Amino acid sequence: MVIPKIKLAMPEKIYRFGSSDEESAKERYMKHTTLSATLLAILIMAASGAVRADAAAGGKLFQAKKCQECHYTSGPAKEKTIADQLAKKGPELWYAGSKFQKEWLGKWLQDPKPIRSLKYNSLTEKNAGNHPKLAAPDAVAMTDFLMSLTSKEVKEGVIKPNASPKGRLIFTKNMPCSGCHQFPGKGFLGGTNGPSLVNAGERLNPDWVFAYLKDGSKTFKPVRQMPVFAGLMNEQDMQAVAEFIATFKK
Amino acid sequence: MHRFVNHAVLLFAAGMLLGPSARAADGEQLFKFYCAQCHGLQGKGDGPNITEGFPVEPRNFTKTDEMNKLSDADIRNVIQDGGPSASKSPMMPPWGKSLAKDDVDALVKHLRVLCKCKGKQ
């Protein structure tokens, strides 16, 4: 009785955890005999069960460590006015699993180096760099919890790193992106009010960056200091700039 | 039930009284949130985004003579469509998709307070 349901979930699982090549992942799936598919399904069930258990432990830890005093973890976005945004003590995390790269998140929770140069919601004070730190085992559980918070607005597997001249031109010249974001540049290193993008290729999910640009202020950040570019830039330009940002490494 | 209706009526009336003023665009708040990051909290063109090598100086809104050369319509257009629409740098972003018309009007008024000027008529 359970088996047909598992089979339905299979191609997606292979696709997400396996190779990034959709075609070959599907082919590989088709080649599986029913027997090996069932065996694999049981294995995946067990594995994702373990992840779910860690995510649940991470969720409890989130409360225990009082992370919710500064972050909210259930969508949709709550901010309606500038005052709502300014009242927040930290960024919203309800789509953290779509926004961040897992490996980066696991490391950052143990060694949280400043992402924004300035204190959150301030134009005058520096970021004190005093974000709460987690010990390694706690960071694992917390990462599983945060990575389980995803948004269906993000289509996975579309954006690949690509330092095209077009993407560079948009980011550094035609659009004001570099006016508010630090980036790996020469001479001019970028403005400091937006989150630093110097290591965005390791920190952010490039598919989320594309979704964030396309979405304007609808889903993720209804009240934000970044202008809405949806409707001013076409989708190809947004894709090029998201691909360019995906190449940013420290 | 009766009490609930009474309360609802009261709340509705209060909402009517408070609503419009609570919602009216606040030019100073809008300026501090969206513009001060580049133009500075006092509008002097020295916000935290202006780091070494920033390609062009954001306008200093306290310079009365320079601001007097711009009409309200000029300011409105450049806020909505960005620098290039006025043959200025793309570092001045387009806000047309971010701000409502009332917000832009409130910002124009606030810039007139900062420059202590009426602008080109």
Side-chain angles (χ1 to χ4, degrees), chain A residues 173 178-179 190 192-193 225 228, chain B residues 33-34 37 48-49 51 90-91 98:
Chain A
K173 293 258 156 51
S178 63
T192 54
N193 187 49
Q225 294 172 311
V228 171
Chain B
F33 191 71
Y34 294 103
Q37 51 181 321
N49 277 332
T51 55
M91 280 297 182
S98 319

Side-chain angles (χ1 to χ4, degrees), chain A residues 101-112:
Chain A
Q101 293 189 26
K102 187 174 179 183
E103 207 190 323
W104 172 85
L105 185 57
K107 284 188 205 146
W108 187 83
L109 290 170
Q110 296 171 61
D111 183 17

Side-chain angles (χ1 to χ4, degrees), chain A residues 76-134:
Chain A
K78 297 183 178 30
E79 310 81 20
K80 292 198 169 56
T81 62
I82 292 177
D84 292 343
Q85 169 57 30
L86 295 179
K88 283 160 65 186
K89 290 191 205 154
E92 68 288 345
L93 294 175
W94 61 269
Y95 49 87
S98 296
K99 176 174 177 176
F100 298 113
Q101 293 189 26
K102 187 174 179 183
E103 207 190 323
W104 172 85
L105 185 57
K107 284 188 205 146
W108 187 83
L109 290 170
Q110 296 171 61
D111 183 17
K113 300 232 168 64
I115 300 165
R116 293 151 188 81
S117 306
L118 299 169
K119 185 180 163 184
Y120 192 67
N121 274 330
S122 168
L123 291 182
T124 49
E125 286 173 68
K126 283 218 161 67
N127 185 339
N130 56 357
H131 192 275
K133 259 190 194 110
L134 292 178

